Amino acid sequence: MKNVVDPTKKVDLQKFVVFGVAVLLFGFFAILRPAYASYSNIMTIVLSTCVNGLLAIGVTFVIITGGIDLSVGPLMTFTGIMSGTALTVWGLPIWLCILIGILSGIFIGMCSGLLVTKLKLPPFIATMAMMMVLKGLNLVISGVKPIYFTSVKGYQKIALGSAFGIPGFYNAILIFVAFAIVGHIILSKTLLGRYAYAIGSNTQAARLSGIRVDTWIIVVYATSGFFCSIAGLIMSSRLNSAQPQLGPGYELEAIAAAVIGGTSLAGGVGTIVGTLIGAFIMSELQNGLRTLAVSPEWQFVVIGMVLILSVAVDQLRRKNV
Amino acid sequence: MARELINMVHIEKEYPGVKALKDVSFQLLSGEVHALVGENGAGKSTLVKILVGEEKLDAGQIFVNGVETPITSIRESQKLGIIMIHQELNLMNHLTVAQNIFIGREHQYKRGLFLDDEELNRESKKIFDQLNLNIDPTVKVGDLTVAKQQMVEIAKALSYDPEVLIMDEPTASLTDSEIEDLFNVIRVLRKEGKGIIHISHRLDELQQISDRITVLRDGNYIDTRKTSEFTIDEIIKMMVGRSIYVEKPENNVLPGAPLSLEVKGLTCEKLVKDVSFNLQKGEILGFSGLVGAGRTETARAIFGADKLKSGQIFVHGKEVKITSPHAAIKQGIAYLSEDRKRYGLSLGMRVSINIALANMAHFINPIGFIKNHMINKNAKEKVESLNIKTPSINQLVRFLSGGNQQKVVLGKWLTRDSSILIFDEPTRGIDVGAKSEIYKLLNELAAQGKSIIMISSELPEILRLCNRVIVMCEGRVTGELKGDEITQEAVIRYATQR
Ligand SMILES: Nc1ncnc2c1ncn2[C@@H]1O[C@H](COP(=O)(O)OP(=O)(O)OP(=O)(O)O)[C@@H](O)[C@H]1O
Ligand SMILES: [Mg+2]
């Protein structure tokens, strides 16, 4: 047994590497621009991680099963628009509106899952189609106009208030951290997580072990939809409105965060902690490049390079083990 | 006294282009080990897959404990206590050993909402102790050797506490001592009144363990009899429908034949420690040892699939640096891997393409278009010469029976005109008839001046084919045997010498 590499060590090393990159990047920007390391800027970075982080958590679940979810961006917007419609058109109480937003996220996730399992569409196609449908629906339902939550007093506080009264420590961060912990526990400690890994690792074997693979895949997509709806809640609260044009593009950032964090697109590998660090690296970069006054065009180039680098390093490391 | 556990009657099953089962009946009693034998593609796996609800039957009935029970899903058969170890490994590489064993049954070991991995590890340990196994339940399955993975599959099946245990060639990748441990467990199950269906191509082993034997041929039911009423030759005759020719070991090596491969001080990260040996032109050199002895690892190192730490390799007298399988193939080395699913086949592609795949350069014209007629012609030749049972060369490899998949791998490497061929368990899962064809083929190849390394855990096979055997243990060469020195006792003595 001594000859076998300890696999737990491998995982730790992986996280360590990503974490190291996050720290190095931080140090790099802080040296160039000391203001970067100020408390308020750090909080800004964390705040800007919230939405992408939650979407990335959802996507991580799906990718671990060997699938992909391209619909998370527009889906996030869709949940906001649904709660906004419930508020302004149907005149429902705000807690019910928020619930409707969350349920619509879960529902759309289930639909993607059904497309993948029952109609046997490849996940890429199913969720890309879903992305297009939602993009259209967002515009149709809202009439291409933002839906404002201004009638609800304190709606913006959901994300931008601070429960502990610490300035800069917004509720959005609190919600984000809380759901990140929930996501981590689901993935590492419950049946849903275990089966996600099992299915991504070897679908056939999972099926032959008596696992209801289709059902669990649907649950996984629904879970992704759930995390999108929480992201949607934070987003609409921050903007005090649901912006129908918003959304497209977020899915790729979410996938990038998951991949930088060590999630394998082949399935079976990935952690929430890794994904969160991945999401953090992305916001850190965007923020840092902005402080260095790098133009947004070049920001894309740099982030693309980081994506290539992080995955390449991971592949090299894998070979050497 | 024995009850009837399972009775399958008039079972029919048709796949597109293949009638896999024609009016087959099969009965299993409590407290019996019932062997199911037949050539590759006879329908053995199909029959048991129907029994566990993995495949639908076209016609026929299944009685469980005397009650007609249509079984349509794995979950149903699991509930009835019918558990199957599949012919191919079905494990989740990214999960740990314990997680694999208890997959689908975590609810029995949960604390509230949360999984209890500690408990799974403890339970796994218990089963391993029973099997006399030393496997760490917290290791990821992907990091284990094929043989260990096979033992995990067995442990997984046993952990269900099955009423009926179906084993589809569980011993194909195991060595004798592991097989003995497995059989001891089976004997216990038999005593407890469980029913065991055992599919195997190792007929000597069936005589040891089974009570009754059912023979299938080409999807037809041939006969069921007490094992004691059969001799091996009779079984073979019923399986194949004819007697088969058993050839004598030949010595093709001319005295003083040049060395085609020389390995000096080969050392790798895993399981290869200072391995030196040489291989003559026209020789079939056997590699024996227990599972985990480092034979596969040595082969992979020579083939450039694993990185060398130190050591030299000489091909036809010239030192070569082999850093990748591509480089090895260029040097005329071919490696037929032990795990066909993982390394040897593109399951989703046609038989014809698979056979051509290691040698595509041969099948393109000067502007780079693929010459399909050549691929097909070559495939037809190989299908014929290896007697691969497939409805056509355009069938996807995934749909072939296990043994026939193995033959496709053989065809693939024979297409490539290599001078040094490394065969890693080439006859695993292959029926007796086909086995003797493969032995004949190996002898022919050697006679043509090719050099062959034959890694095999089946001693009779080594005894039959090789004039020289290298024995390994824990990554080291512990002995070299020649001619009359090659005996079962000698091999085992070196194989266990630390
Ligand atoms: N899914 C499938 N689609 C098409 N044909 C199939 C499929 N599964 C099996 N077959 C065919 O059915 C026949 C019986 O196959 P089966 O796997 O039962 O053979 P087997 O007796 O287990 O052989 P082996 O000893 O090689 O494992 C073979 O001709 C095989 O090619
Ligand atoms: Mg079979």
Side-chain angles (χ1 to χ4, degrees):
Chain A
M1 274 307 45
K2 269 174 245 134
N3 294 320
V4 178
V5 217
D6 184 354
T8 49
K9 268 195 201 128
K10 242 195 292 190
V11 175
D12 284 344
L13 184 70
Q14 138 104 54
K15 260 187 228 147
F16 183 76
V17 170
V18 194
F19 186 69
V21 170
V23 172
L24 277 179
L25 270 176
F26 188 83
F28 172 75
F29 287 121
I31 290 169
L32 288 182
R33 288 277 186 285
Y36 184 79
S38 68
Y39 172 76
S40 71
N41 194 51
I42 292 175
M43 278 316 180
T44 310
I45 296 176
V46 177
L47 182 64
S48 65
T49 311
C50 292
V51 167
N52 187 31
L54 284 165
L55 295 180
I57 291 172
V59 157
T60 301
F61 273 89
V62 176
I63 297 180
I64 285 174
T65 64
I68 190 89
D69 193 346
L70 293 174
S71 69
V72 295
L75 177 51
M76 162 188 79
T77 306
F78 180 75
T79 61
I81 286 188
M82 285 311 286
S83 12
T85 308
L87 182 75
T88 53
V89 181
W90 305 334
L92 297 177
I94 187 63
W95 63 267
L96 196 57
C97 298
I98 293 175
L99 187 66
I100 284 174
I102 293 175
L103 289 178
S104 62
I106 295 175
F107 174 75
I108 297 291
M110 277 172 59
C111 290
S112 296
L114 283 167
L115 292 179
V116 170
T117 54
K118 298 302 173 205
L119 292 188
K120 310 245 177 289
L121 298 188
F124 188 95
I125 305 295
T127 58
M128 186 171 73
M130 192 53 91
M131 169 181 85
M132 293 171 170
V133 168
L134 291 174
K135 207 162 121 181
L137 280 182
N138 289 344
L139 298 173
V140 173
I141 295 174
S142 66
V144 206
K145 284 192 296 280
I147 301 176
Y148 289 99
F149 288 83
T150 30
S151 65
V152 184
K153 244 181 85 200
Y155 187 72
Q156 220 169 2
K157 285 247 159 58
I158 295 177
L160 296 182
S162 56
F164 298 140
I166 309 169
F169 199 86
Y170 301 108
N171 286 344
I173 298 174
L174 215 62
I175 297 174
F176 170 49
V177 171
F179 280 98
I181 293 174
V182 169
H184 173 74
I185 291 175
I186 293 178
L187 191 59
S188 59
K189 293 266 186 288
T190 71
L191 265 194
L192 174 56
R194 178 64 45 85
Y195 289 171
Y197 284 112
I199 291 167
S201 197
N202 188 342
T203 312
Q204 173 73 359
R207 187 166 283 134
L208 292 177
S209 304
I211 294 174
R212 289 193 185 89
V213 170
D214 286 0
T215 311
W216 286 104
I217 287 182
I218 294 169
V219 175
V220 162
Y221 279 91
T223 307
S224 172
F226 170 76
F227 282 101
C228 290
S229 70
I230 303 298
L233 173 65
I234 292 181
M235 191 56 123
S236 64
S237 161
R238 272 181 68 181
L239 303 174
N240 214 359
S241 62
Q243 300 283 343
Q245 315 270 11
L246 206 74
Y250 277 77
E251 59 280 343
L252 296 182
E253 285 198 17
I255 294 167
V259 169
I260 290 176
T263 312
S264 157
L265 286 177
V269 180
T271 59
I272 296 299
V273 176
T275 294
L276 291 181
I277 300 175
F280 186 74
I281 288 179
M282 297 207 32
S283 332
E284 196 180 40
L285 260 177
Q286 279 160 351
N287 184 295
L289 293 172
R290 218 176 309 126
T291 25
L292 293 183
V294 176
S295 69
E297 299 85 326
W298 279 105
Q299 289 182 22
F300 281 120
V301 176
V302 173
I303 291 175
M305 306 284 253
V306 168
L307 187 58
I308 294 174
L309 223 86
S310 63
V311 179
V313 166
D314 191 44
Q315 291 292 351
L316 284 180
R317 188 187 50 78
R318 219 172 282 250
K319 236 184 229 161
N320 285 334
V321 169
Chain B
M1 203 184 78
R3 287 179 304 126
E4 173 190 284
L5 291 177
I6 301 285
N7 196 6
M8 303 175 78
V9 285
H10 306 308
I11 304 290
E12 307 259 344
K13 174 75 191 176
E14 188 167 357
Y15 291 114
V18 195
K19 190 102 199 187
L21 294 172
K22 301 166 214 161
D23 192 14
V24 171
S25 295
F26 179 83
Q27 181 209 38
L28 180 71
L29 301 178
S30 67
E32 87 164 332
V33 177
H34 196 146
L36 198 51
V37 300
E39 283 187 291
N40 296 135
K44 306 176 298 290
S45 298
T46 306
L47 186 66
V48 286
K49 278 184 193 163
I50 286 174
L51 180 55
V52 294
E54 191 184 329
E55 294 281 356
K56 275 201 203 87
L57 43 73
D58 295 341
Q61 292 160 296
I62 302 176
F63 295 87
V64 179
N65 295 322
V67 185
E68 184 175 359
T69 318
I71 300 175
T72 55
S73 77
I74 306 264
R75 295 180 75 86
E76 285 172 38
S77 61
Q78 277 181 357
K79 280 207 192 98
L80 293 166
I82 305 173
I83 303 298
M84 161 139 150
I85 302 170
H86 281 82
Q87 184 168 12
E88 310 293 338
L89 288 171
N90 274 298
L91 294 169
M92 286 144 282
N93 286 342
H94 301 296
L95 299 191
T96 68
V97 169
Q99 288 169 353
N100 262 283
I101 290 180
F102 290 101
I103 193 79
R105 288 172 294 155
E106 293 82 355
H107 50 274
Q108 297 165 17
Y109 305 93
K110 268 199 323 192
R111 280 183 305 202
L113 263 180
F114 301 124
L115 302 173
D116 187 354
D117 274 325
E118 294 300 308
E119 181 68 21
L120 299 188
N121 291 341
R122 275 195 297 275
E123 289 295 320
S124 310
K125 198 90 207 140
K126 273 190 213 158
I127 303 165
F128 289 150
D129 287 345
Q130 197 188 346
L131 275 168
N132 226 340
L133 269 181
N134 181 20
I135 297 179
D136 179 354
T138 62
V139 165
K140 292 217 169 136
V141 159
D143 292 331
L144 298 178
T145 58
V146 174
K148 288 251 167 75
Q149 292 180 352
Q150 181 66 57
M151 294 311 279
V152 172
E153 286 274 30
I154 292 168
K156 176 175 168 183
L158 291 177
S159 73
Y160 279 89
D161 200 6
E163 273 313 302
V164 173
L165 177 65
I166 305 165
M167 303 188 293
D168 197 350
E169 298 190 41
T171 56
S173 57
L174 303 182
T175 51
D176 293 345
S177 70
E178 288 165 322
I179 292 174
E180 203 36 55
D181 289 335
L182 173 63
F183 283 0
N184 284 334
V185 174
I186 289 179
R187 288 189 187 104
V188 172
L189 290 178
R190 170 162 65 188
K191 218 183 245 152
E192 290 170 355
K194 310 283 160 73
I196 293 115
I197 303 175
H198 185 78
I199 300 176
S200 176
H201 289 296
R202 295 187 176 181
L203 301 180
D204 48 335
E205 146 189 322
L206 295 183
Q207 289 206 314
Q208 265 183 56
I209 188 81
S210 73
D211 303 305
R212 287 200 295 167
I213 296 185
T214 290
V215 182
L216 299 181
R217 190 201 311 151
D218 275 333
N220 291 302
Y221 171 83
I222 304 296
D223 202 359
T224 303
R225 277 195 234 163
K226 284 222 172 69
T227 306
S228 50
E229 294 170 5
F230 272 124
T231 66
I232 287 192
D233 285 340
E234 278 170 338
I235 304 175
I236 293 174
K237 216 166 178 173
M238 293 175 86
M239 279 169 61
V240 191
R242 64 193 145 85
S243 323
I244 56 161
Y245 163 76
V246 180
E247 77 294 334
K248 305 265 166 332
E250 290 169 45
N251 187 356
N252 296 307
V253 193
L254 307 168
L259 292 184
S260 47
L261 179 72
E262 214 183 335
V263 171
K264 283 187 189 161
L266 206 66
T267 303
C268 292
E269 200 83 30
K270 18 175 213 189
L271 268 184
V272 183
K273 293 169 197 148
D274 195 21
V275 171
S276 303
F277 68 92
N278 56 47
L279 175 67
Q280 281 179 298
K281 189 163 185 253
E283 181 179 20
I284 304 179
L285 175 66
F287 262 71
S288 223
L290 302 177
V291 166
R295 295 169 300 166
T296 293
E297 287 75 7
T298 304
R300 285 176 58 87
I302 295 171
F303 192 59
D306 290 335
K307 229 165 142 184
L308 288 189
K309 241 163 120 183
S310 61
Q312 294 167 293
I313 299 173
F314 300 84
V315 174
H316 302 305
K318 263 196 304 202
E319 178 165 9
V320 293
K321 287 265 167 286
I322 295 174
T323 51
S324 70
H326 182 75
I329 292 172
K330 264 189 154 164
Q331 293 293 341
I333 303 177
Y335 172 57
L336 190 121
S337 120
E338 64 174 331
D339 183 352
R340 56 178 170 256
K341 225 176 181 177
R342 216 160 16 158
Y343 306 113
L345 284 174
S346 310
L347 289 170
M349 293 174 89
R350 296 163 183 204
V351 170
S352 55
I353 308 286
N354 265 285
I355 293 179
L357 213 52
N359 202 17
M360 281 309 273
H362 211 79
F363 296 109
I364 52 178
N365 67 18
I367 20 174
F369 286 102
I370 292 170
K371 293 191 278 190
N372 271 319
H373 63 281
M374 293 287 287
I375 290 188
N376 292 344
K377 186 164 156 266
N378 173 61
K380 280 197 188 110
E381 274 169 34
K382 294 296 180 293
V383 165
E384 190 135 316
S385 66
L386 294 170
N387 203 357
I388 302 175
K389 193 171 280 174
T390 169
S392 93
I393 55 167
N394 293 322
Q395 179 75 310
L396 302 186
V397 166
R398 165 165 12 127
F399 295 133
L400 299 193
S401 78
N404 282 304
Q405 289 184 2
Q406 181 72 351
K407 291 190 197 170
V408 171
V409 184
L410 269 170
K412 169 174 160 180
W413 288 109
L414 293 178
T415 293
R416 178 97 207 177
D417 197 20
S418 318
S419 59
I420 300 167
L421 297 145
I422 307 176
F423 290 94
D424 199 348
E425 308 283 0
T427 61
R428 169 192 299 172
I430 286 192
D431 67 58
V432 274
K435 246 183 206 168
S436 81
E437 282 161 33
I438 285 171
Y439 297 155
K440 208 152 107 197
L441 199 87
L442 291 183
N443 276 327
E444 277 166 20
L445 289 170
Q448 288 165 20
K450 306 209 186 279
S451 310
I452 295 171
I453 292 178
M454 166 91 171
I455 302 174
S456 172
S457 300
E458 279 184 65
L459 216 45
E461 170 166 298
I462 295 253
L463 295 175
R464 205 162 142 185
L465 281 172
C466 308
N467 277 295
R468 199 157 64 92
V469 177
I470 306 275
V471 189
M472 290 185 70
C473 177
E474 294 186 350
R476 290 178 199 285
V477 173
T478 48
E480 184 180 326
L481 300 164
K482 279 202 197 77
D484 292 341
E485 298 164 17
I486 313 175
T487 60
Q488 185 124 11
E489 297 72 40
V491 170
I492 289 181
R493 193 170 63 243
Y494 284 122
T496 51
Q497 188 176 75
R498 313 262 134 145

